[in-house]
Amino acid sequence: MSMVGNLRKVVRLARRGRRVDLSHPARSPLGSTVVNCVIYRDGVRQEAASTVEESVARVRKRGHGFVWLGLHEPTETEFAQVAELFGLHPLAVEDAVHAHQRPKAEQYGDVLFAVFKTVTYVEHTELTATSEVVDTGEIMVFTGPDFVVTVRHGRHGSLGPLREDLEAQPDLLAKGPSAVLHAIADHVVDDYVTVADAVQNDIDQVETDVFSPHSPRSADASRIYQLKRELLELKRAVVPLARPLDRLATEPRACVDKEIQAYFRDVADHLTRVTEQIHAFDALLDSILQAHLAQVTVAQNEDMRKITAWAAIIAVPTMVCGVYGMNFDHMPELRWRFGYPLVLAFIATACFVIHRSFKRNGWL
């Protein structure tokens, strides 16, 4: 278990928020297509070659070690040269260039092509009907006998910190390209855990606001709906990854070290936890939305009851005034001296009695 413990330690260190030093040899600005190209032999970083072709030639000449090439949003023309150099399958190349793929793991000869959806939590001071909560990107990984090619899409999910921490663990890198694949998978899934925990805070806040008597009812529904949309975005990244991870953990592959393969089960366990958490969030948001709609219905019923009660009170003076407004000559007490104040007193008394009755029954 020491191996998996070290692997998880590496990805935890990579997840820590820290300042990105672009001057470090394992990193370069995001605007560059080729982020880095490094040779590793026995888990140790070797002297850099001037070109990617030279790096590959060195590794294959010695028959030992591997090349880790990192790319960021390459064009078809730029990636065509890489595909030809490493003998990548055209279907996998197309997926890597155009992105927007579902998480998957496919074998093309002796090359394993894996797609991971990266997620990050978008910080916001207050959740609104237009707040962006989850932002997604993609990492494509080509794993071969003597190379790892990573293609990243999006402005987050940098592998620079992960590369540095792996270099600090040469015994892990000595396992070959499959160690890099496992570290990337574990890093991505750990980010899922972090984002899910942050989303839970938003859900808790919405739940508190819905049951708060001072919360504006009109705003709650739109916030709940927006949160459900963002949760759907997270679900699309997390749920489809279960099948690929299961295949990586159970199906023998030439490009995956047998010792490393067993540790993909640990990653799958963490993914299962996040998947269950997301399903629970979805069910909880449905319950919160139903509770909110029930509150709105109750509030509308109370408003209608109050309107009805006031209409009943106003009906008394309306009826009396309507009778005496018909202008007939022969009407009871029409010319009586105390008729006018008596009618007013009757209207006031009747309205007061009806109001007290409604008040006592909770209609007002």
Side-chain angles (χ1 to χ4, degrees):
M1 294 299 294
S2 59
M3 177 66 70
V4 70
N6 290 335
L7 286 171
R8 293 199 61 77
K9 179 181 178 183
V10 168
V11 295
R12 286 195 201 101
L13 290 173
R15 288 172 53 210
R16 293 178 182 173
R18 55 188 179 183
R19 182 176 178 272
V20 176
D21 179 15
L22 295 179
S23 64
H24 190 280
R27 297 174 178 166
S28 69
L30 295 177
S32 176
T33 297
V34 178
V35 177
N36 218 325
C37 181
V38 182
I39 300 174
Y40 295 100
R41 188 173 296 115
D42 295 325
V44 179
R45 184 189 183 107
Q46 303 299 305
E47 181 180 354
S50 58
T51 63
V52 176
E53 291 80 1
E54 184 179 346
S55 298
V56 175
R58 285 187 187 180
V59 170
R60 292 178 175 172
K61 181 178 180 180
R62 290 178 175 268
H64 185 52
F66 67 94
V67 176
W68 183 354
L69 173 63
L71 304 173
H72 179 256
E73 298 183 354
T75 64
E76 292 185 13
T77 303
E78 293 168 335
F79 199 67
Q81 301 174 357
V82 175
E84 182 179 359
L85 178 63
F86 292 103
L88 305 181
H89 195 278
L91 292 177
V93 171
E94 182 180 0
D95 290 344
V97 172
H98 294 98
H100 304 295
Q101 306 298 318
R102 284 172 57 87
K104 59 183 176 180
E106 297 177 346
Q107 191 79 37
Y108 296 98
D110 59 351
V111 178
L112 175 64
F113 175 61
V115 178
F116 301 97
K117 283 277 191 180
T118 60
V119 299
T120 186
Y121 179 76
V122 180
E123 296 290 344
H124 47 270
T125 57
E126 182 181 1
L127 180 65
T128 65
T130 58
S131 293
E132 184 180 12
V133 179
V134 177
D135 186 26
T136 61
E138 292 179 39
I139 296 178
M140 285 79 166
V141 185
F142 294 88
T143 307
D146 55 7
F147 67 87
V148 175
V149 178
T150 55
V151 182
R152 185 169 59 85
H153 292 265
R155 298 293 299 179
H156 67 275
S158 173
L159 298 177
L162 179 63
R163 184 193 292 265
E164 294 171 24
D165 291 318
L166 277 172
E167 289 177 359
Q169 301 285 330
D171 56 323
L172 303 181
L173 276 176
K175 296 295 181 181
S178 58
V180 178
L181 177 63
H182 172 270
I184 293 174
D186 208 5
H187 172 69
V188 169
V189 172
D190 280 348
D191 280 344
Y192 293 165
V193 176
T194 303
V195 172
D197 291 341
V199 171
Q200 184 173 10
N201 294 331
D202 284 330
I203 296 176
D204 291 342
Q205 183 61 50
V206 168
E207 185 178 18
T208 301
D209 293 342
V210 164
F211 293 99
S212 173
H214 306 294
S215 175
R217 302 298 178 193
S218 60
D220 287 337
S222 57
R223 292 169 63 203
I224 296 171
Y225 183 71
Q226 177 65 14
L227 195 54
K228 281 184 69 66
R229 287 179 60 89
E230 294 297 311
L231 186 64
L232 178 61
E233 188 75 13
L234 179 60
K235 183 187 294 187
R236 287 173 178 169
V238 174
V239 175
L241 186 58
R243 175 62 177 165
L245 282 181
D246 180 68
R247 293 178 61 189
L248 288 173
T250 57
E251 297 178 5
R253 298 177 185 274
C255 57
V256 179
D257 187 273
K258 293 182 179 179
E259 187 176 355
I260 295 295
Q261 186 178 31
Y263 299 134
F264 278 103
R265 298 192 189 96
D266 180 68
V267 182
D269 289 342
H270 286 78
L271 182 70
T272 301
R273 174 207 158 185
V274 180
T275 302
E276 293 174 350
Q277 196 173 7
I278 291 175
H279 288 315
F281 289 165
D282 200 19
L284 180 58
L285 282 176
D286 286 338
S287 299
I288 293 174
L289 183 58
Q290 291 175 2
H292 168 70
L293 296 177
Q295 288 178 334
V296 172
T297 302
V298 170
Q300 290 176 343
N301 290 338
E302 290 179 354
D303 293 340
M304 289 301 299
R305 188 167 55 185
K306 291 179 181 180
I307 293 173
T308 304
W310 283 111
I313 295 173
I314 296 174
V316 174
T318 302
M319 180 185 66
V320 175
C321 294
V323 171
Y324 279 90
M326 290 188 290
N327 298 321
F328 289 112
D329 290 334
H330 303 288
M331 295 183 69
E333 313 301 339
L334 185 61
R335 301 187 183 278
W336 185 38
R337 186 174 189 178
F338 300 102
Y340 181 71
L342 181 62
V343 170
L344 291 181
F346 171 77
I347 292 175
T349 302
C351 291
F352 176 76
V353 171
I354 296 175
H355 182 274
R356 286 292 300 273
S357 176
F358 287 156
K359 190 87 170 179
R360 187 164 50 249
N361 292 326
W363 281 46
L364 291 173

